[in-house]
Amino acid sequence: MFWTDCAKTGVMLTISLLLLQLLFSTTPVSSSPLNQDESVCARTSCGAGRECVSTERGEPVCRCLQSCGESEHWVCGSNSRSYRNHCELHRDACITHTKIHVEHNGHCVEKPPKTDVSPIVCFMSDRDWLRERVIQWIQEVVQPDSPASNMSSSELLQTYFKMYDDGDSELDSKEFLSFLKHNETALNLTYSNSVETNMLLRSLCVDALIELSDENADWKLSLTEFINCLTPTYHPYERKCALEDEVFEDGAETRMECNKCVCACGNWVCTALTCTGEHQVDEDEAEGAEEEEMTEEEWSRRVAELSALQQTFKTET
């Protein structure tokens, strides 16, 4: 009996030792998330700026990188932003869901803001407003309760004409401006808050008024033309601009290289910027256009062609 119990004890010890050896000889299975990700993502490739991680179900998914290295190899992105390295660029593209590619190595060079310069012009509405103000002023002067009540509007205009005529029996734009300054307070001719712009617009609108009534095209007004210009019953006709067999209304715009042209009182008026690589028109407008910039001679010739075309249009109409 004693030997039987000893035999049982020995067998149990043997089994215990074998179980211990089996336990220590088996490779432990790690539950580390990192190892799980490496195992699951072994055959999964993510794009630049992304990394593969394992879901709770053990499935591989790509997500934006949490962080990038600290190395500095600056690049300029197509969004005009500078990035410390390529990784940062691609990570930002992933986070913002936008396509960003490397424009060049190094920091981005800040581009000057695009400007859309318009020429200062006197539109028909400005010209007609000036004319109406002068007519109103003249009518107020010849009212029954005024010192000049014994004069008609035509007689008063004739008096002013003689006052500002330099002796050639015609009023040019300078003399017409002097006439307007005779009672500037009553006229209150204010186009702009800027004094310089206001003076320029007033001068331009005087030129437009002279052109309106100048029958012999000498840019001066005779007495008859002057009185006719400021007679209430005279209704100025609308003038339009011509370009490439098309007719454009007052205020229409077009472009010549980087310069904007505006239709004003029947004439194309353009800015005179020097067109360089920094002053290119928008891609939509530049499609199909010549890439070579105009020389000063070519620019002058183009403006002359516009003027000649406009003169032909005036003659025909």
Side-chain angles (χ1 to χ4, degrees), residues 200-215:
L200 177 57
L201 276 172
R202 185 184 303 185
S203 177
L204 291 172
C205 287
V206 163
D207 289 341
L209 266 183
I210 291 177
E211 185 182 16
L212 177 68
S213 308
D214 183 19
E215 296 180 359

Side-chain angles (χ1 to χ4, degrees), residues 223-237:
L223 175 60
T224 302
E225 292 170 338
F226 178 66
I227 293 176
N228 184 48
C229 175
L230 299 176
T231 298
T233 54
Y234 173 68
H235 299 289
Y237 58 90

Side-chain angles (χ1 to χ4, degrees), residues 69-256:
E70 297 295 327
S71 62
E72 290 195 13
H73 299 287
W74 289 88
V75 292
C76 175
S78 54
N79 58 350
S80 299
R81 286 188 56 186
S82 299
Y83 294 92
R84 188 171 62 234
N85 48 51
H86 284 76
C87 175
E88 293 285 1
L89 180 146
H90 294 302
R91 178 175 177 271
D92 189 35
C94 176
I95 294 173
T96 58
H97 302 286
T98 56
K99 292 183 178 180
I100 307 174
H101 62 266
V102 176
E103 285 286 351
H104 58 77
N105 292 327
H107 290 269
C108 295
V109 179
E110 185 176 353
K111 296 180 180 179
K114 289 185 177 180
T115 55
D116 190 18
V117 181
S118 296
I120 298 176
V121 296
C122 173
F123 293 111
M124 285 194 293
S125 59
D126 300 320
R127 178 202 67 186
D128 295 344
W129 179 77
L130 169 61
R131 178 173 173 271
E132 289 169 3
R133 293 292 299 166
V134 177
I135 291 174
Q136 182 182 0
W137 164 47
I138 296 298
Q139 289 178 335
E140 290 174 353
V141 172
V142 297
Q143 288 295 317
D145 57 348
S146 69
S149 58
N150 61 334
M151 302 177 67
S152 66
S153 296
S154 297
E155 290 172 336
L156 182 60
L157 287 172
Q158 184 174 356
T159 300
Y160 284 132
F161 185 90
K162 292 179 180 179
M163 186 182 301
Y164 294 102
D165 172 31
D166 63 359
D168 62 354
S169 299
E170 291 181 314
L171 290 186
D172 58 21
S173 59
K174 183 178 179 180
E175 293 164 342
F176 201 116
L177 282 170
S178 297
F179 158 65
L180 295 181
K181 290 178 181 178
H182 178 86
N183 200 345
E184 192 168 5
T185 303
L187 287 173
N188 190 24
L189 300 175
T190 303
Y191 293 96
S192 168
N193 293 330
S194 168
V195 176
E196 293 78 7
T197 303
N198 191 58
M199 292 179 64
L200 177 57
L201 276 172
R202 185 184 303 185
S203 177
L204 291 172
C205 287
V206 163
D207 289 341
L209 266 183
I210 291 177
E211 185 182 16
L212 177 68
S213 308
D214 183 19
E215 296 180 359
N216 59 353
D218 63 352
W219 287 98
K220 294 180 180 181
L221 295 183
S222 64
L223 175 60
T224 302
E225 292 170 338
F226 178 66
I227 293 176
N228 184 48
C229 175
L230 299 176
T231 298
T233 54
Y234 173 68
H235 299 289
Y237 58 90
E238 288 192 9
R239 299 184 57 190
K240 301 180 180 180
C241 296
L243 179 63
E244 297 179 357
D245 299 326
E246 291 188 54
V247 177
F248 296 86
E249 301 286 341
D250 199 69
E253 298 179 357
T254 187
R255 279 191 177 274
M256 291 177 59

Side-chain angles (χ1 to χ4, degrees), residues 6-21:
C6 288
K8 288 181 179 180
T9 302
V11 171
M12 291 180 66
L13 286 173
T14 302
I15 293 173
S16 298
L17 289 173
L18 290 173
L19 287 174
L20 286 173
Q21 289 178 359

